[in-house]
Amino acid sequence: MIEATFPHHLVQNAIVSSLQEDLGLAGDITGNAVLKADEIISCSITAREAGTVAGMPLALATFKALDPKIKLAKKMSDGDKVKAGDVVLAIKGNSRATLAAERVALNYLCHLSGVASLTQKFVQQTKGTNAAICCTRKTLPGLRAFQKYAVRAGGGRNHRYGLDQAVLIKDNHIASAGGIKQVLERVKKLASHMVRIEIEVDTLAQLETVMNYKVDAVLLDNMKPAQLEKAVALVDGRAITEASGGINLQTVKKIAQTGVDLISVGALTHSAPIFDFGLDYR
Amino acid sequence: MIEATFPHHLVQNAIVSSLQEDLGLAGDITGNAVLKADEIISCSITAREAGTVAGMPLALATFKALDPKIKLAKKMSDGDKVKAGDVVLAIKGNSRATLAAERVALNYLCHLSGVASLTQKFVQQTKGTNAAICCTRKTLPGLRAFQKYAVRAGGGRNHRYGLDQAVLIKDNHIASAGGIKQVLERVKKLASHMVRIEIEVDTLAQLETVMNYKVDAVLLDNMKPAQLEKAVALVDGRAITEASGGINLQTVKKIAQTGVDLISVGALTHSAPIFDFGLDYR
Amino acid sequence: MIEATFPHHLVQNAIVSSLQEDLGLAGDITGNAVLKADEIISCSITAREAGTVAGMPLALATFKALDPKIKLAKKMSDGDKVKAGDVVLAIKGNSRATLAAERVALNYLCHLSGVASLTQKFVQQTKGTNAAICCTRKTLPGLRAFQKYAVRAGGGRNHRYGLDQAVLIKDNHIASAGGIKQVLERVKKLASHMVRIEIEVDTLAQLETVMNYKVDAVLLDNMKPAQLEKAVALVDGRAITEASGGINLQTVKKIAQTGVDLISVGALTHSAPIFDFGLDYR
Amino acid sequence: MIEATFPHHLVQNAIVSSLQEDLGLAGDITGNAVLKADEIISCSITAREAGTVAGMPLALATFKALDPKIKLAKKMSDGDKVKAGDVVLAIKGNSRATLAAERVALNYLCHLSGVASLTQKFVQQTKGTNAAICCTRKTLPGLRAFQKYAVRAGGGRNHRYGLDQAVLIKDNHIASAGGIKQVLERVKKLASHMVRIEIEVDTLAQLETVMNYKVDAVLLDNMKPAQLEKAVALVDGRAITEASGGINLQTVKKIAQTGVDLISVGALTHSAPIFDFGLDYR
Amino acid sequence: MIEATFPHHLVQNAIVSSLQEDLGLAGDITGNAVLKADEIISCSITAREAGTVAGMPLALATFKALDPKIKLAKKMSDGDKVKAGDVVLAIKGNSRATLAAERVALNYLCHLSGVASLTQKFVQQTKGTNAAICCTRKTLPGLRAFQKYAVRAGGGRNHRYGLDQAVLIKDNHIASAGGIKQVLERVKKLASHMVRIEIEVDTLAQLETVMNYKVDAVLLDNMKPAQLEKAVALVDGRAITEASGGINLQTVKKIAQTGVDLISVGALTHSAPIFDFGLDYR
Amino acid sequence: MIEATFPHHLVQNAIVSSLQEDLGLAGDITGNAVLKADEIISCSITAREAGTVAGMPLALATFKALDPKIKLAKKMSDGDKVKAGDVVLAIKGNSRATLAAERVALNYLCHLSGVASLTQKFVQQTKGTNAAICCTRKTLPGLRAFQKYAVRAGGGRNHRYGLDQAVLIKDNHIASAGGIKQVLERVKKLASHMVRIEIEVDTLAQLETVMNYKVDAVLLDNMKPAQLEKAVALVDGRAITEASGGINLQTVKKIAQTGVDLISVGALTHSAPIFDFGLDYR
């Protein structure tokens, strides 16, 4: 179902750029010299470990781009859980095109499945709590739309996509505006009514001041579990509560048990190791 | 010195795309609503851990793109080693522009320094040996030129940039051509004399056959240290020897001690965690 | 102050495209044939009617693009009110470059000032009420970022920039999901916590149902003033109220007096006549 | 028949840009959250008023871009006259794709049909005369090719597409060259023989001087009907006569009756209100 | 003076593309490995033969793109005649940037000067006649704007830039329309009044028919000098006469002496050998 | 077989750009005015002389781009030898689309077949020798990928595609590094092991020094046949030998007979006259 939310309108430009990055002007000089021109091969993309798939539409589009007649039998969809040995895609097509597309297709699939699988690990840790896992703007340049989608494929939720999608007020903003009251008045006056307003606080005292005003969400930065519990109690449902700051797979469960609504984790998109897929001849 | 080899001709397009990715059509709606329009701020980018810097030209260009009058005092260059607390860049500029550029600049700098720092860790493990660490084509789509540069900044060397830069013959190529002899004849006939030829082998037997012919390099795939030693002896300086396949920080030293010339590590570019930099007001 | 929120990161690509649209491959064949190559002219852009300025950064960038040494003395800023005869920009530069840039610069300036001036007329009608005027997604393809900015320059506010910035639920969405309860549950589960949720209603009965749930805003579609008053009373501050549907300069005052928070007007961006500026030699 | 002259070679890039403008990185977050993933809907685009259609190829391409399997039954073609209630396009396709494409498709269709319909109104006023209605370079940035086509769909004719297509000499050109004789000599010497030469005159005296030389067309700027009649008599078929300057639906008939060949109207492209189309479920 | 008509608005995109074509992702790997990072060199671009210069703005922009601080002393301008040994550009800049830009700069300069020099040779042959030399649409893909400019730099004139700039009616058009009368009626009705109309004829009989109607120019295809003389007499100043079809440096003089106005030569842009420039250290 | 190595991933962008270059905003104004909208024509592309074909994939893609339903019957493939009168492509499609695409398709086909045919002439001269003909980086901006492919279609081989593909050390590099020993040490240390290293020498003395070190290839610049023979003897198979410098069809045979491995000829790509193809109605 997640795959239906894939940003398909961005695929063609992404694929063309990535293929040019790998093929340059000369193309696959190995395949061009060595492979028979009209050889048809059968191969499949197989998981080498357990995790969550993301990026299938990019993989498919990459192979199609170099061989419009290629036969692609999709065995898994984004969001599906796989184990080592599971085939996600069976391929029958021209050998030159298939091998020329292989690396680009796998680079997308392995990276995005890495993001989804890491997200899923965090999500697992929050089971039984109310907390959702979400991403940040700490993404890899050029890959944000696909990474944010992979977070969803892994069971996570999206924080704002960019500076244009929501207001997030930090210390420096408050200082420049002259105080919490002033900053919120300015936002109310100048920002669109269609964007949410979140404000970052470091202490419970700050949070208390903030809660005198109406905000959509509070970002509780670098708070310990005990503090977070108090913060959640203080907010008392009047705003979405988001915990943030260096949260990892070891600490996330404790954070989730404090009752916060959201836990944002930069590592989902800035430090996810790849998920290992390989292409094997059959 | 490494910074002089930065691919400057790719910076402008990269920066414009990345800024549009984060700013969308509406721009920084928080800063636009909240910050004073003509406020000048002083801040700096500081390392939060120890490692190797890469990506300074991109960080500088990002800030300049949004505030052409910004003052940027570079304290460190790519390839430099930093420890937690070291300032790499001091900034004095318009607050809206600076904060709107912050995330894009940091996303480049943190990711590329992550690549450089991981590379450097591998390089440290090979000290006292003849082996160099090098990257692969397992890069993140759209970032290859910068990632490959970051590998150099971390003390590594570059394998081929793309399918267009060198010939690398694998099992499937040999099968399609009809054997090692045939594959090398085809390459010699059809590939440019200006590209190197490497061939992948899985066993010493294969290697022996290969060494009957002239190749520039042999890729010794997934061999154990003992096998690698024999392979190096067998090659005996007639070709560059490259070890490859799942090598990590725990195993790299043993591999390096086998006498191979090169050790290629996909993780440098596909799974490097970020290096943590932050922007602090002064 | 509005000009500080201009989307500067989009200017260069816009200008280059627009100049290529007007200059083609051959350039200004009249100027090239007829004007002296090194002639310096002085001219100014003058308002031919009364209204509100928008688009100065685009006009300036257009002239600079064709003559980097041109002298541009800005007399007015976006958001300023002008009357017929007011000079907004004094220009001294190469005659070929100036006349080649003239039409593109004026096309931007006249259109965006048209949008700002029309917005300002609507805003004038709402004086003394609580209602703000805002735009829609009914923009001219390729010009949305600049048009939405021009609405702000005219004293209006922005509705969502695109389908990606906020949730707006309409009849068809409710039908597909199976009812208001179901649609809001799905949104809460699947949409980011950082986006606002608005829902469109046509009748007071629908509104009553909707108000059983938590939404950020209600779009009151095609309601008469009497209905709107009742709707505002019914909502009673629990959500932002937005009136929409064929509202024009004749009807907007009555609508504003009903107490709604926002009045959205598609015509601001889809049907604004230009504001008349001319370039005169001095 | 007009539709066969549509600039099809520009459609793909236009559509991709416009969809990215509306969908951003995140896509249609409402539809993605709320609509069933595989729902097929039937709907149609219907005229809400009477006028002339333009932009069908863009509307069709937009829907196809998001759902390649969509069924589109075209009921009207560009240049056709429609009345309120007429269906121009029947659609059967995936609900998410259809609704995500709706606004972009309508923004093109409504704007271009607005241009065509306004043009047609002017054309109606010239019935029984020899005068044709034509457009100017006062177009909206990025939309020129489509707007000029829409003018043709409305029964108008095109003036030059850009500075590169024809020579149009104005006062400043004459002054810089040193006189009418000099300016025409320079043009004859330097401009291509394949471009037409038009010259602007403000008075009959100027026109008399101009007619001593060979030009293709004369632009009679801001002349009253009585003056225009004299001008037409003076030219006596030796050049195309074009009336220009603030001509509107009230004045155009009188202008047309003076015998001029062409009447150029900037408002066709810079100030056309949209033509109202809506998308309705069936 | 010709250089003032250079299409400057197309330079930046051209340069960026060409540099990426030569530098790829890795850049100048020779210079990066071998040259000192901060070395300043002095060199110059020198003519190795006699001819006419074209393309200086592209050469200058290429060097500037890689070294913004480079010092460029222009010694010659486009349209200037040079002899072997003449310096056209003196350069002082960073050695890596200068040598990385060298080939792209020279590829533009040598090709465009080749076009200009060949044009000039044809122009020389027409001295004492009324005939001008002009180019065709037989250009090299991607280079038309610059090639057409180079033709002007060599003393030639431009035929239409593209299918969009003027009407040129050929046999197939006449057949499809049903005859010369019909084709010209359709053009008059449907084409803009701002474009010229030329018609191609193969025989004097055809020409006679054509001259019953009003056209701007006649293309006399593949006619012998004797035929051309008769054609010119037949036209008698009522249209521009253009000779075309396999005309070369041996035949052009005879053609020019027939009294035709224009001689179009496809070879100027499709087959011009380069003009030899070299970059020498000083 | 050569056609299977065509850089297909670059075709779409190339075609779109080239069509926009010829069609501008207005399209084919002649065809639009004159041709029947739904006329189907049959025509073919025929060789007007003898030579070698290159560029068929671009020609086909150009026609398809403007008429997706066009029927294209390929009679010849790239690399095939043709004589005057041979049909290479039979076409049946919409007349407007076919004639609008004709010039772009022919411009690619004629230029690239020109490159292939000239290459083939050089190759013929080397028959019976060991020498291969290869191209240089002296290509026409924007066309390198296609030109280098055309060289292969003509029987030649490719030198490096760009500065990024291989190391080529020249005098200035040696001077900057401080000598041949130093330059090669730097290259070995800093350049990737996957790139070849070639060094240019002007004299036999230089060559002798160079041969003390290990290089992949030596470029013997501007040497006479007698010198080349000595150079080949001196190298004695330890490196690839390449002759370069002003070699033409008159001199190439003598050069080839010296025993050099490669002869590089800039003229293949910078000065190839077109091969003459025409489109004829059937």
Side-chain angles (χ1 to χ4, degrees), chain F residues 34-35 49 55 76-77 104 112 125 131 139-140 162 178 198 229 242 265:
Chain F
V34 164
L35 297 172
E49 57 179 312
M76 296 279 180
S77 295
V104 170
L112 296 176
Q125 294 296 318
T139 58
L140 298 174
E198 182 167 18
E229 264 177 35
E242 175 185 348
V265 182

XYZ file of all heavy atoms in Angstrom, chain F residues 34-35 49 55 76-77 104 112 125 131 139-140 162 178 198 229 242 265:
128
model
N 0.760 25.140 -44.294
C 0.631 24.688 -45.667
C 0.229 23.223 -45.817
O -0.533 22.862 -46.707
C 1.982 24.944 -46.390
C 2.065 24.171 -47.666
C 2.158 26.439 -46.614
N 0.739 22.377 -44.933
C 0.480 20.951 -45.099
C -0.872 20.568 -44.521
O -1.317 21.144 -43.524
C 1.587 20.127 -44.421
C 2.986 20.308 -45.016
C 4.009 19.603 -44.132
C 3.057 19.769 -46.434
N 26.341 9.635 -51.851
C 27.741 9.334 -52.166
C 28.108 8.030 -51.463
O 27.251 7.398 -50.841
C 28.643 10.486 -51.688
C 28.513 10.802 -50.210
C 29.430 11.945 -49.746
O 30.632 11.921 -50.090
O 28.951 12.842 -49.036
N 24.939 7.078 -36.899
C 23.937 7.994 -36.354
C 22.502 7.542 -36.559
O 21.571 8.290 -36.265
N 19.797 0.022 -43.240
C 21.232 -0.067 -42.986
C 21.473 0.222 -41.502
O 20.657 0.881 -40.854
C 21.985 1.002 -43.803
C 21.897 0.832 -45.301
S 23.095 -0.402 -45.865
C 22.737 -0.378 -47.650
N 22.587 -0.257 -41.007
C 22.971 0.007 -39.617
C 24.275 0.785 -39.575
O 25.032 0.801 -40.554
C 23.155 -1.309 -38.860
O 21.936 -1.992 -38.758
N 16.788 17.984 -38.421
C 17.521 17.537 -37.230
C 18.052 16.122 -37.442
O 19.224 15.826 -37.167
C 16.632 17.609 -35.977
C 17.295 16.916 -34.788
C 16.315 19.060 -35.623
N 27.599 12.629 -38.406
C 28.224 11.435 -37.828
C 28.686 10.463 -38.909
O 29.736 9.831 -38.777
C 27.266 10.773 -36.833
C 26.950 11.656 -35.612
C 25.925 10.986 -34.715
C 28.220 11.983 -34.814
N 43.937 3.283 -45.334
C 45.349 3.567 -45.582
C 46.281 2.743 -44.709
O 47.469 2.645 -44.998
C 45.640 5.068 -45.351
C 44.953 5.997 -46.333
C 45.439 5.774 -47.752
O 46.646 5.592 -47.979
N 44.523 5.739 -48.706
N 48.841 -0.719 -37.293
C 48.393 0.533 -36.671
C 46.870 0.691 -36.702
O 46.235 0.416 -37.717
C 49.037 1.715 -37.388
N 37.048 17.576 -30.188
C 35.703 17.287 -30.674
C 34.883 18.569 -30.708
O 35.315 19.604 -30.208
C 35.029 16.266 -29.745
O 35.021 16.816 -28.417
C 35.788 14.954 -29.725
N 33.711 18.504 -31.269
C 32.837 19.679 -31.298
C 31.982 19.697 -30.034
O 31.362 18.687 -29.697
C 31.977 19.637 -32.560
C 32.826 19.688 -33.839
C 31.959 19.508 -35.070
C 33.606 20.995 -33.933
N 37.732 11.905 -22.039
C 37.846 13.222 -21.424
C 39.018 13.243 -20.476
O 39.726 12.236 -20.302
N 58.779 18.861 -11.964
C 60.219 18.876 -11.710
C 60.989 17.779 -12.419
O 62.145 17.525 -12.070
N 49.747 7.760 -19.996
C 50.472 7.969 -21.245
C 51.320 9.221 -21.071
O 50.980 10.125 -20.315
C 49.478 8.161 -22.401
C 50.183 8.342 -23.752
C 49.212 8.221 -24.946
O 47.986 8.345 -24.720
O 49.681 7.999 -26.072
N 60.183 5.042 -36.483
C 60.713 3.686 -36.546
C 61.700 3.425 -35.417
O 61.663 2.385 -34.752
C 61.400 3.457 -37.896
C 60.496 2.786 -38.903
C 61.170 2.632 -40.259
O 62.405 2.397 -40.307
O 60.451 2.785 -41.279
N 52.047 5.599 -29.815
C 51.036 6.388 -30.514
C 51.695 7.524 -31.267
O 52.385 8.349 -30.675
C 50.031 6.951 -29.485
C 48.995 7.880 -30.095
C 48.076 8.521 -29.057
O 48.086 8.087 -27.886
O 47.368 9.472 -29.417
N 44.273 11.150 -34.832
C 43.975 12.137 -35.872
C 42.841 13.053 -35.394
O 41.678 12.654 -35.356
C 43.553 11.428 -37.173
C 43.294 12.440 -38.276
C 44.583 10.402 -37.609
